[in-house]
Amino acid sequence: RSPEDAVVRNAPAAWAASMGRHRMELCHAVLTIPFSGPTLDTWTLPNGVHCVSASMPDAPLTCLDLWCRAGSSSEKAGEEGMAHFLEHMVFKGSAGLAPGAFDTAIEALGGSSNAATGFDDVHFHVLIPPERAEEALELLLELVLKPSLDADGFSTERDVVLEEIAQYADQPNEQVLQRLLSEGCGDHAYGRPILGTPSSLKAMDPEAMRRFHQRRYRGANCCLAIAGPSSDQLPAAVASSALMGLSPQMDPINSAAEVGVCPGRHEISLERLESSRLLMLWPAAPSLEQGAVMGADLATTLLGAGRRSRVVRRLREELQIVENVSMDLSLLEQGSLITLEVICPEENLAVVEREIGNILREAADHPVSERELQRGVQLVSNGLRYALESTGQVSGLCASQQLWGRNQDLLAPLQLLQTWSAIELQTAIFPTLQPEQACVLIAR
């Protein structure tokens, strides 16, 4: 499987690429048409497996999406990179599927498949014509829940992952983002590369991976989401599927404290970095705190989304001293992260840093205008609606919500968004987004 197939959700590369895997991805598109989310049906199997079905009658494909609380934050000491490596190994075959047989069978049914690993969870999904969904479900569960993990395939796939690690290490942009996470998150799992390190990969063996799989892929740790045209047969198929064989005992996530960000200023030089850049990292509320999350998303939109946002307007439109500005909120279960990245000529770094400080202090000192606030609310609202366009996006949102205890309508966050006023943003959010509270990285 290519590196693109193994994109890791919530990792730095994912913030820029897609991470569809998986959560409330707010893309800030501009839509004005009314929209209501799909109807959700949720239930739990006797062994604790979460199930959710989203009715999308006009969708041409059904998405079957199996999620598990088995991301890199669930790795123990010595298992660094195990979650992502296991994602690769799953596609090497199972007790009933030879290597390559799954892909061949899914393609024969007219479908496609993919997977992704993140800090908090991992998921495997299949896009399939609705009439072949039952067959695809059986294949998917056989592959994910009963991986063979044979020694020959293990050695071969480890070399693939080691090459992937080497490719990331050869990309200066990735090095910069990982360095920001490492400096900012310290010893927390979010500060470690999801891919692991060459030394950690080389120390692994099939038996250790089998123990990891047995420990994490258990009843309440798993969620199956189905998005597409309604089917009377699929719920019955789920009730008699391999999911019922999972252990009901739940292995809890590592008891790590909520992630914090270590303030400080750091500098690095990379010969092959095409342009210099300034990066800032701040902590934000965990995904479960939906009200605070919507406030953070609104604040980052006002600061860094679109030409009329404060940072973009000042640095790129007025002063014309930067090449690009991006500000992202990455939603995570043990504490979300906000990143600001500004790409500019090296000689402009000092003035860029000074101007950003002025912008952030202004936001904390004075409330935004009503017009500015409404623009931000509209962008965030439209982004959430736009994220419900495809069965793959919907299944990911449904699964993530159910897996992590956010049992709600997919558009419920919009109600929380409306509670944020200019004064509340000024007093509760913008004071936390100040230079002295950030992990700052200058990359030359």
Side-chain angles (χ1 to χ4, degrees), residues 316-436:
R316 196 176 70 182
E317 303 300 313
E318 296 176 1
L319 298 179
Q320 299 183 11
I321 57 175
V322 303
E323 300 169 19
N324 189 59
V325 174
S326 62
M327 194 166 191
D328 297 294
L329 170 65
S330 183
L331 300 185
L332 299 165
E333 302 305 326
Q334 296 175 32
S336 301
L337 296 171
I338 293 173
T339 55
L340 171 64
E341 181 178 33
V342 179
I343 301 175
C344 66
E346 185 168 348
E347 60 270 19
N348 293 343
L349 282 170
V351 65
V352 164
E353 188 170 7
R354 183 176 66 250
E355 289 294 332
I356 289 176
N358 293 337
I359 293 168
L360 297 178
R361 282 186 286 273
E362 169 69 17
D365 290 341
H366 304 284
V368 299
S369 68
E370 187 62 26
R371 182 177 181 180
E372 194 176 4
L373 177 65
Q374 290 308 312
R375 169 189 170 272
V377 169
Q378 186 68 59
L379 287 178
V380 175
S381 300
N382 290 338
L384 180 54
R385 294 187 179 97
Y386 187 75
L388 305 185
E389 183 181 56
S390 71
T391 56
Q393 291 170 306
V394 168
S395 67
L397 291 174
C398 289
S400 177
Q401 287 192 169
Q402 293 299 313
L403 189 63
W404 295 101
R406 298 186 293 276
N407 191 353
Q408 61 184 8
D409 182 87
L410 294 181
L411 291 179
L414 294 184
Q415 299 174 9
L416 299 172
L417 178 65
Q418 297 295 332
T419 66
W420 284 94
S421 67
I423 294 297
E424 288 169 328
L425 285 172
Q426 180 201 353
T427 58
I429 301 293
F430 287 128
T432 68
L433 299 178
Q434 296 302 304
E436 61 273 13

Side-chain angles (χ1 to χ4, degrees), residues 125-138:
H125 74 261
V126 172
L127 284 170
I128 201 79
E131 65 273 13
R132 313 308 294 270
E134 288 185 63
E135 298 165 83
L137 176 64
E138 183 177 354

Side-chain angles (χ1 to χ4, degrees), residues 73-377:
S73 64
S74 61
E75 297 165 347
K76 297 180 178 180
E79 294 179 336
E80 295 82 0
M82 181 78 80
H84 173 256
F85 188 6
L86 174 58
E87 177 211 313
H88 276 246
M89 284 302 301
V90 161
F91 288 93
K92 299 300 287 184
S94 68
L97 292 168
F102 172 79
D103 289 329
T104 300
I106 292 296
E107 290 172 8
L109 295 175
S112 63
S113 65
N114 212 331
T117 302
F119 288 130
D120 297 313
D121 36 45
V122 59
H123 79 131
F124 304 83
H125 74 261
V126 172
L127 284 170
I128 201 79
E131 65 273 13
R132 313 308 294 270
E134 288 185 63
E135 298 165 83
L137 176 64
E138 183 177 354
L139 290 166
L140 177 65
L141 297 181
E142 165 70 23
L143 186 80
V144 178
L145 303 183
K146 303 175 183 178
S148 57
L149 306 181
D150 68 277
D152 291 339
F154 192 91
S155 178
T156 300
E157 203 61 27
R158 174 162 47 199
D159 290 339
V160 173
V161 179
L162 288 172
E163 176 59 28
E164 189 176 348
I165 292 174
Q167 289 179 8
Y168 275 102
D170 196 43
Q171 298 177 34
N173 291 350
E174 299 298 335
Q175 292 183 53
V176 170
L177 289 170
Q178 183 56 57
R179 177 67 177 271
L180 179 70
L181 284 179
S182 299
E183 295 287 0
C185 299
D187 294 333
H188 194 279
Y190 293 168
R192 300 196 308 260
I194 291 177
L195 301 184
T197 65
S199 60
S200 65
L201 266 290
K202 291 175 181 177
M204 294 178 189
D205 58 61
E207 186 54 37
M209 182 171 285
R210 189 168 288 108
R211 290 194 298 269
F212 179 84
H213 183 274
Q214 292 172 348
R215 189 177 85 232
R216 297 308 306 170
Y217 287 69
R218 296 185 177 187
N221 275 347
C222 295
C223 179
L224 175 68
I226 304 168
S230 299
S231 168
D232 296 332
Q233 290 76 36
L234 268 178
V238 171
S240 61
S241 72
L243 286 172
M244 292 294 293
L246 291 177
S247 169
Q249 296 178 335
M250 180 177 173
D251 180 57
I253 202 75
N254 286 352
S255 56
E258 184 174 310
V259 65
V261 168
C262 305
R265 195 172 184 282
H266 312 271
E267 296 201 17
I268 60 172
S269 296
L270 295 170
E271 292 183 3
R272 295 172 51 244
L273 190 65
E274 292 182 358
S275 298
S276 294
R277 56 203 66 200
L278 179 147
L279 299 96
M280 291 182 169
L281 179 73
W282 293 272
S287 295
L288 188 61
E289 298 177 17
Q290 291 279 283
V293 162
M294 297 312 294
D297 192 60
L298 179 55
T300 56
T301 298
L302 294 172
L303 289 172
R307 291 187 173 186
R308 287 192 288 170
S309 65
R310 293 193 170 194
V311 177
V312 176
R313 184 179 69 237
R314 179 59 176 162
L315 298 184
R316 196 176 70 182
E317 303 300 313
E318 296 176 1
L319 298 179
Q320 299 183 11
I321 57 175
V322 303
E323 300 169 19
N324 189 59
V325 174
S326 62
M327 194 166 191
D328 297 294
L329 170 65
S330 183
L331 300 185
L332 299 165
E333 302 305 326
Q334 296 175 32
S336 301
L337 296 171
I338 293 173
T339 55
L340 171 64
E341 181 178 33
V342 179
I343 301 175
C344 66
E346 185 168 348
E347 60 270 19
N348 293 343
L349 282 170
V351 65
V352 164
E353 188 170 7
R354 183 176 66 250
E355 289 294 332
I356 289 176
N358 293 337
I359 293 168
L360 297 178
R361 282 186 286 273
E362 169 69 17
D365 290 341
H366 304 284
V368 299
S369 68
E370 187 62 26
R371 182 177 181 180
E372 194 176 4
L373 177 65
Q374 290 308 312
R375 169 189 170 272
V377 169

